[in-house]
Amino acid sequence: MPELPEVETIRRGVERHLRGRVLDHVELHTARVARRETDLGAFARLGGRRILDVARRGKFLWMVLEGSDAALVIHLGMSGQLLHRTGAGAAGEPVRHAAATFHLDDDAALVFVDQRTFGYVSASLLSPTPDGLPAGAGTEIALIPLVAAHIARDPLDPYLDAGAASERMSRTSSAIKRVLLDQRYVSGIGNIYADETLWASRLHPEIPASMLGVERLAGVIGAAAEVMRSAVAAGGTSFDALYVDVEGGAGYFGRELAVYGQLGQPCRRCGTLVEKGVVGGRGTYACPTCQAWSAAETQHRDMNWQDW
DNA sequence: CATAGAACCTGTATGC
DNA sequence: TGCATACAGGTTCTAT
């Protein structure tokens, strides 16, 4: 569920409440939420440490803890929420689908709730970023948790090398939508913002990335950054009660969506009705007029088909 | 190595 | 009302 704008909204809320506080201890409510962890004792070693930073790269969140060689990583998966609770609310009133609770020194707590259980927590060792630059939003430290080290920087990261990213994207023949969803090229983009980015870029979701060229691919990354900046400003997208910020509030970017979830609605650029299909196994919304294959692209595609 | 599809879960909406 | 099926904001494993 949560993509970069939702995770960033949550990150800011967590930072506001937790930065500078001491993490008393981590309570795991299910074994599954720690399934990525080989050493469960690692969580105990995080207790009693001050929270220096609440950081994010793409959809990964982590807390940098004073004097620890490991960070507390949280991935929200499809349905994860982080809810800030104080007083009696933190004491342990049962919360449906609670997966973990991060108890703080001020009798408050951050509760990780996850209906579909695709999310997880990890006490993950920190390693130097390959480029020696700060790891992501919310931190100036050039260390990244191992569980997040395989993903690229995201479009809102000032240290993203968009030229290098678009160059790498141009070397795959996968559909552009699949490439946008592949966190190894550029991270943070999920199903909503992939569709919104492609609408903004007037591109058919199934055009092979290799057909677009480095310049246009760099433009697509720029479009993703623009869409997601607007979405962060609106507090993210809430289709239902599954995505909420740390105070339990909804985001309002849903009003600004051009195509995602807009089946049968008129395209706000040309009036053609928005259609839905499947690309890369994911529901995909697009305007059949604005996002049609261009003549050159069609020709190129047909030539490739004749090769078979 | 690159790529595509299945698998992992729970809940809700839809159709018969 | 009951039941079966499809689908949902993501990532990771497996097969080709």
Side-chain angles (χ1 to χ4, degrees):
Chain A
M1 153 211 83
E3 305 181 33
L4 187 155
E6 292 74 36
V7 179
E8 174 60 15
T9 301
I10 289 166
R11 187 198 69 76
R12 292 177 185 183
V14 173
E15 181 178 67
R16 185 169 66 249
H17 289 295
L18 269 63
R19 194 171 188 201
R21 306 226 67 90
V22 170
L23 174 69
D24 188 73
H25 69 283
V26 177
E27 181 185 3
L28 303 176
H29 302 296
T30 67
R32 181 173 160 77
V33 74
R35 65 190 178 282
R36 300 288 308 270
E37 202 61 70
T38 49
D39 171 21
L40 290 178
F43 289 109
R45 292 192 287 276
L46 301 181
R49 298 181 187 274
R50 194 166 299 279
I51 299 165
L52 300 180
D53 282 328
V54 180
R56 179 191 58 75
R57 175 184 288 200
K59 304 165 196 169
F60 282 80
L61 267 180
W62 67 92
M63 298 183 204
V64 177
L65 301 162
E66 192 167 29
S68 173
D69 58 355
L72 178 55
V73 179
I74 303 152
H75 197 292
L76 299 172
M78 287 281 259
S79 57
Q81 309 173 338
L82 290 173
L83 303 175
H84 187 244
R85 292 293 164 86
T86 56
E93 91 199 45
V95 179
R96 188 155 165 76
H97 297 125
T101 301
F102 311 109
H103 295 274
L104 306 170
D105 61 340
D106 58 354
D107 286 331
L110 191 68
V111 183
F112 178 32
V113 179
D114 188 15
Q115 177 188 103
R116 290 181 67 186
T117 75
F118 290 165
Y120 59 88
V121 298
S122 175
S124 185
L125 282 177
L126 290 160
S127 62
T129 55
D131 54 15
L133 296 166
T139 186
E140 291 303 317
I141 298 172
L143 296 172
I144 185 142
L146 278 177
V147 294
H150 63 296
I151 71 163
R153 292 181 180 276
D154 61 64
L156 298 190
D157 186 331
Y159 300 113
L160 170 71
D161 185 342
S166 51
E167 171 66 35
R168 298 205 323 115
M169 290 164 77
S170 73
R171 282 188 245 114
T172 177
S173 59
S174 288
I176 181 61
K177 171 152 180 179
R178 295 189 71 121
V179 175
L180 287 179
L181 292 174
D182 189 332
Q183 309 291 300
R184 295 171 304 174
Y185 295 98
V186 162
S187 69
I189 302 170
N191 207 33
I192 296 175
Y193 299 104
D195 283 2
E196 293 299 306
T197 295
L198 291 171
W199 180 82
S201 304
R202 301 178 190 248
L203 290 175
H204 191 285
E206 291 183 293
I207 296 176
S210 53
M211 203 178 284
L212 292 173
V214 176
E215 300 275 311
R216 290 174 75 190
L217 288 167
V220 173
I221 294 173
E226 200 168 314
V227 169
M228 294 199 291
R229 255 193 296 274
S230 302
V232 171
T237 302
S238 299
F239 283 113
D240 50 36
L242 279 187
Y243 165 66
V244 291
D245 61 24
V246 293
E247 263 81 43
Y252 296 98
F253 194 69
R255 311 181 315 115
E256 299 179 47
L257 293 176
V259 285
Y260 190 87
Q262 308 303 307
L263 177 64
Q265 294 297 117
C267 169
R268 46 181 78 171
R269 249 186 336 234
C270 75
T272 308
L273 302 188
V274 171
E275 295 183 352
K276 185 183 184 189
V278 176
V279 179
R282 315 293 301 276
T284 297
Y285 300 86
C287 169
T289 301
C290 294
Q291 297 175 255
W293 295 71
S294 72
E297 286 156 5
T298 302
Q299 188 181 22
H300 193 139
R301 180 191 62 184
D302 291 347
M303 282 170 59
N304 283 355
W305 279 359
Q306 283 169 16
D307 287 344
W308 295 103

